[in-house]
Amino acid sequence: MGFLDQLKAQAEGAVQKFSGEHPQLGQEVMNLVHSGPGGLSGLVQRFQAGGLGHLIQSWISTGPNQPASAQQITQALGGDQLRQMAARVGLDPNVVAQRLSTILPQVVDHLTPNGQLPQVAAPQQ
């Protein structure tokens, strides 16, 4: 198992811990950080574009994670994306935003144990 696979497994463990009775939400989080637009780097860019770069940087750094509010999650991800996620998991968008405010800091923290985004090797041709 490679380093990135280990990080992914740790992040999945954090997601399962916090998604509770809604494992579909856990899958949505993993999709967001792994296969969403730009993956984890794309998520960082969305937080930065929403004026919340300091928040996600605290999750990436080796220091303590700053807490996130549901409003900040909505600001970073956008209402449309939250509504789509909520529809797929069968929850209210406000509930999804609240749960993501707990899950995302933990997942990003697990995926960045050295205080920086993991480097993904470019595909070889």
Side-chain angles (χ1 to χ4, degrees):
M1 179 182 283
F3 180 67
L4 290 177
D5 291 330
Q6 289 174 351
L7 291 178
K8 183 178 178 181
Q10 290 175 352
E12 287 173 352
V15 166
Q16 289 175 354
K17 178 181 176 183
F18 290 104
S19 59
E21 65 210 42
H22 296 283
Q24 311 94 321
L25 182 58
Q27 185 59 50
E28 289 291 326
V29 171
M30 295 310 294
N31 289 341
L32 183 64
V33 298
H34 288 297
S35 56
L40 185 55
S41 294
L43 182 64
V44 171
Q45 290 172 355
R46 283 183 267 167
F47 271 77
Q48 290 170 337
L52 298 168
H54 67 283
L55 183 62
I56 199 162
Q57 286 301 322
S58 80
W59 306 343
I60 293 169
S61 76
T62 57
N65 294 337
Q66 291 182 11
S69 69
Q71 181 182 2
Q72 288 170 316
I73 298 299
T74 303
Q75 180 180 338
L77 299 182
D80 287 343
Q81 184 170 14
L82 278 174
R83 282 188 289 279
Q84 291 170 8
M85 289 175 78
R88 288 191 295 264
V89 300
L91 294 172
D92 181 89
N94 294 323
V95 171
V96 170
Q98 185 60 48
R99 296 227 174 130
L100 289 178
S101 73
T102 302
I103 297 170
L104 278 178
Q106 298 298 318
V107 170
V108 172
D109 188 55
H110 276 82
L111 289 172
T112 57
N114 297 320
Q116 56 188 344
L117 294 176
Q119 298 299 312
V120 179
Q124 297 182 355
Q125 298 182 11

PDB file of all heavy atoms in Angstrom, residues 15-16 19-30 89 99:
ATOM      1  N   VAL A  15     -13.981   9.841   8.019  1.00  0.00           N
ATOM      2  CA  VAL A  15     -15.305  10.087   7.432  1.00  0.00           C
ATOM      3  C   VAL A  15     -16.333   9.162   8.066  1.00  0.00           C
ATOM      4  O   VAL A  15     -17.420   9.602   8.456  1.00  0.00           O
ATOM      5  CB  VAL A  15     -15.268   9.896   5.896  1.00  0.00           C
ATOM      6  CG1 VAL A  15     -16.661   9.813   5.319  1.00  0.00           C
ATOM      7  CG2 VAL A  15     -14.501  11.035   5.249  1.00  0.00           C
ATOM      8  N   GLN A  16     -16.014   7.885   8.188  1.00  0.00           N
ATOM      9  CA  GLN A  16     -16.955   6.939   8.785  1.00  0.00           C
ATOM     10  C   GLN A  16     -17.283   7.316  10.218  1.00  0.00           C
ATOM     11  O   GLN A  16     -18.426   7.215  10.651  1.00  0.00           O
ATOM     12  CB  GLN A  16     -16.387   5.519   8.728  1.00  0.00           C
ATOM     13  CG  GLN A  16     -16.365   4.949   7.332  1.00  0.00           C
ATOM     14  CD  GLN A  16     -15.682   3.598   7.261  1.00  0.00           C
ATOM     15  OE1 GLN A  16     -15.124   3.117   8.246  1.00  0.00           O
ATOM     16  NE2 GLN A  16     -15.721   2.990   6.096  1.00  0.00           N
ATOM     17  N   SER A  19     -19.637  10.536   9.892  1.00  0.00           N
ATOM     18  CA  SER A  19     -20.851  10.529   9.077  1.00  0.00           C
ATOM     19  C   SER A  19     -21.971   9.754   9.745  1.00  0.00           C
ATOM     20  O   SER A  19     -23.125   9.871   9.363  1.00  0.00           O
ATOM     21  CB  SER A  19     -20.571  10.001   7.667  1.00  0.00           C
ATOM     22  OG  SER A  19     -20.067   8.698   7.699  1.00  0.00           O
ATOM     23  N   GLY A  20     -21.627   8.959  10.762  1.00  0.00           N
ATOM     24  CA  GLY A  20     -22.634   8.303  11.590  1.00  0.00           C
ATOM     25  C   GLY A  20     -23.613   7.471  10.801  1.00  0.00           C
ATOM     26  O   GLY A  20     -23.234   6.607  10.021  1.00  0.00           O
ATOM     27  N   GLU A  21     -24.881   7.756  11.002  1.00  0.00           N
ATOM     28  CA  GLU A  21     -25.943   6.949  10.413  1.00  0.00           C
ATOM     29  C   GLU A  21     -26.171   7.235   8.932  1.00  0.00           C
ATOM     30  O   GLU A  21     -27.061   6.661   8.333  1.00  0.00           O
ATOM     31  CB  GLU A  21     -27.243   7.170  11.187  1.00  0.00           C
ATOM     32  CG  GLU A  21     -27.733   8.599  11.055  1.00  0.00           C
ATOM     33  CD  GLU A  21     -28.498   9.081  12.260  1.00  0.00           C
ATOM     34  OE1 GLU A  21     -28.077   8.799  13.380  1.00  0.00           O
ATOM     35  OE2 GLU A  21     -29.521   9.757  12.046  1.00  0.00           O
ATOM     36  N   HIS A  22     -25.379   8.098   8.347  1.00  0.00           N
ATOM     37  CA  HIS A  22     -25.529   8.449   6.933  1.00  0.00           C
ATOM     38  C   HIS A  22     -24.233   8.153   6.170  1.00  0.00           C
ATOM     39  O   HIS A  22     -23.495   9.067   5.806  1.00  0.00           O
ATOM     40  CB  HIS A  22     -25.924   9.922   6.775  1.00  0.00           C
ATOM     41  CG  HIS A  22     -27.254  10.218   7.375  1.00  0.00           C
ATOM     42  ND1 HIS A  22     -28.429   9.871   6.759  1.00  0.00           N
ATOM     43  CD2 HIS A  22     -27.598  10.789   8.538  1.00  0.00           C
ATOM     44  CE1 HIS A  22     -29.447  10.223   7.529  1.00  0.00           C
ATOM     45  NE2 HIS A  22     -28.969  10.791   8.619  1.00  0.00           N
ATOM     46  N   PRO A  23     -23.955   6.872   5.929  1.00  0.00           N
ATOM     47  CA  PRO A  23     -22.715   6.530   5.230  1.00  0.00           C
ATOM     48  C   PRO A  23     -22.648   7.128   3.824  1.00  0.00           C
ATOM     49  O   PRO A  23     -21.562   7.342   3.291  1.00  0.00           O
ATOM     50  CB  PRO A  23     -22.716   5.001   5.192  1.00  0.00           C
ATOM     51  CG  PRO A  23     -24.113   4.594   5.464  1.00  0.00           C
ATOM     52  CD  PRO A  23     -24.742   5.700   6.261  1.00  0.00           C
ATOM     53  N   GLN A  24     -23.826   7.427   3.231  1.00  0.00           N
ATOM     54  CA  GLN A  24     -23.818   8.055   1.915  1.00  0.00           C
ATOM     55  C   GLN A  24     -23.132   9.412   1.979  1.00  0.00           C
ATOM     56  O   GLN A  24     -22.477   9.823   1.033  1.00  0.00           O
ATOM     57  CB  GLN A  24     -25.243   8.246   1.357  1.00  0.00           C
ATOM     58  CG  GLN A  24     -26.122   7.033   1.417  1.00  0.00           C
ATOM     59  CD  GLN A  24     -26.981   7.007   2.683  1.00  0.00           C
ATOM     60  OE1 GLN A  24     -26.544   7.368   3.776  1.00  0.00           O
ATOM     61  NE2 GLN A  24     -28.206   6.544   2.541  1.00  0.00           N
ATOM     62  N   LEU A  25     -23.283  10.102   3.088  1.00  0.00           N
ATOM     63  CA  LEU A  25     -22.621  11.394   3.250  1.00  0.00           C
ATOM     64  C   LEU A  25     -21.108  11.196   3.269  1.00  0.00           C
ATOM     65  O   LEU A  25     -20.368  11.981   2.688  1.00  0.00           O
ATOM     66  CB  LEU A  25     -23.088  12.102   4.522  1.00  0.00           C
ATOM     67  CG  LEU A  25     -22.502  13.487   4.773  1.00  0.00           C
ATOM     68  CD1 LEU A  25     -22.794  14.427   3.612  1.00  0.00           C
ATOM     69  CD2 LEU A  25     -23.038  14.062   6.069  1.00  0.00           C
ATOM     70  N   GLY A  26     -20.662  10.139   3.896  1.00  0.00           N
ATOM     71  CA  GLY A  26     -19.240   9.825   3.897  1.00  0.00           C
ATOM     72  C   GLY A  26     -18.720   9.618   2.488  1.00  0.00           C
ATOM     73  O   GLY A  26     -17.635  10.092   2.129  1.00  0.00           O
ATOM     74  N   GLN A  27     -19.500   8.941   1.659  1.00  0.00           N
ATOM     75  CA  GLN A  27     -19.088   8.727   0.277  1.00  0.00           C
ATOM     76  C   GLN A  27     -19.046  10.049  -0.475  1.00  0.00           C
ATOM     77  O   GLN A  27     -18.152  10.283  -1.286  1.00  0.00           O
ATOM     78  CB  GLN A  27     -20.043   7.749  -0.427  1.00  0.00           C
ATOM     79  CG  GLN A  27     -19.610   7.400  -1.827  1.00  0.00           C
ATOM     80  CD  GLN A  27     -18.226   6.766  -1.859  1.00  0.00           C
ATOM     81  OE1 GLN A  27     -17.948   5.822  -1.124  1.00  0.00           O
ATOM     82  NE2 GLN A  27     -17.341   7.278  -2.695  1.00  0.00           N
ATOM     83  N   GLU A  28     -19.983  10.927  -0.199  1.00  0.00           N
ATOM     84  CA  GLU A  28     -19.985  12.254  -0.836  1.00  0.00           C
ATOM     85  C   GLU A  28     -18.723  13.030  -0.461  1.00  0.00           C
ATOM     86  O   GLU A  28     -18.128  13.700  -1.304  1.00  0.00           O
ATOM     87  CB  GLU A  28     -21.229  13.053  -0.431  1.00  0.00           C
ATOM     88  CG  GLU A  28     -22.521  12.557  -1.026  1.00  0.00           C
ATOM     89  CD  GLU A  28     -22.607  12.778  -2.523  1.00  0.00           C
ATOM     90  OE1 GLU A  28     -22.080  13.790  -3.049  1.00  0.00           O
ATOM     91  OE2 GLU A  28     -23.229  11.932  -3.195  1.00  0.00           O
ATOM     92  N   VAL A  29     -18.302  12.940   0.788  1.00  0.00           N
ATOM     93  CA  VAL A  29     -17.092  13.636   1.235  1.00  0.00           C
ATOM     94  C   VAL A  29     -15.875  13.068   0.516  1.00  0.00           C
ATOM     95  O   VAL A  29     -15.023  13.815   0.031  1.00  0.00           O
ATOM     96  CB  VAL A  29     -16.923  13.538   2.768  1.00  0.00           C
ATOM     97  CG1 VAL A  29     -15.560  14.054   3.198  1.00  0.00           C
ATOM     98  CG2 VAL A  29     -18.031  14.311   3.463  1.00  0.00           C
ATOM     99  N   MET A  30     -15.790  11.751   0.438  1.00  0.00           N
ATOM    100  CA  MET A  30     -14.646  11.142  -0.245  1.00  0.00           C
ATOM    101  C   MET A  30     -14.635  11.532  -1.722  1.00  0.00           C
ATOM    102  O   MET A  30     -13.571  11.799  -2.286  1.00  0.00           O
ATOM    103  CB  MET A  30     -14.663   9.622  -0.074  1.00  0.00           C
ATOM    104  CG  MET A  30     -14.469   9.185   1.371  1.00  0.00           C
ATOM    105  SD  MET A  30     -13.048   9.938   2.237  1.00  0.00           S
ATOM    106  CE  MET A  30     -11.690   9.245   1.328  1.00  0.00           C
ATOM    107  N   VAL A  89     -28.084  12.254  -0.639  1.00  0.00           N
ATOM    108  CA  VAL A  89     -28.037  11.514   0.632  1.00  0.00           C
ATOM    109  C   VAL A  89     -29.352  11.562   1.398  1.00  0.00           C
ATOM    110  O   VAL A  89     -29.485  10.921   2.438  1.00  0.00           O
ATOM    111  CB  VAL A  89     -26.866  11.981   1.538  1.00  0.00           C
ATOM    112  CG1 VAL A  89     -25.537  11.773   0.859  1.00  0.00           C
ATOM    113  CG2 VAL A  89     -27.036  13.411   1.984  1.00  0.00           C
ATOM    114  N   ARG A  99     -22.895  18.902   9.129  1.00  0.00           N
ATOM    115  CA  ARG A  99     -22.074  17.685   9.254  1.00  0.00           C
ATOM    116  C   ARG A  99     -20.726  17.856   8.566  1.00  0.00           C
ATOM    117  O   ARG A  99     -19.705  17.399   9.055  1.00  0.00           O
ATOM    118  CB  ARG A  99     -22.827  16.487   8.693  1.00  0.00           C
ATOM    119  CG  ARG A  99     -24.083  16.211   9.493  1.00  0.00           C
ATOM    120  CD  ARG A  99     -24.233  14.781   9.841  1.00  0.00           C
ATOM    121  NE  ARG A  99     -25.378  14.611  10.727  1.00  0.00           N
ATOM    122  CZ  ARG A  99     -26.329  13.734  10.551  1.00  0.00           C
ATOM    123  NH1 ARG A  99     -26.284  12.904   9.531  1.00  0.00           N
ATOM    124  NH2 ARG A  99     -27.315  13.648  11.399  1.00  0.00           N
TER     125      ARG A  99
END
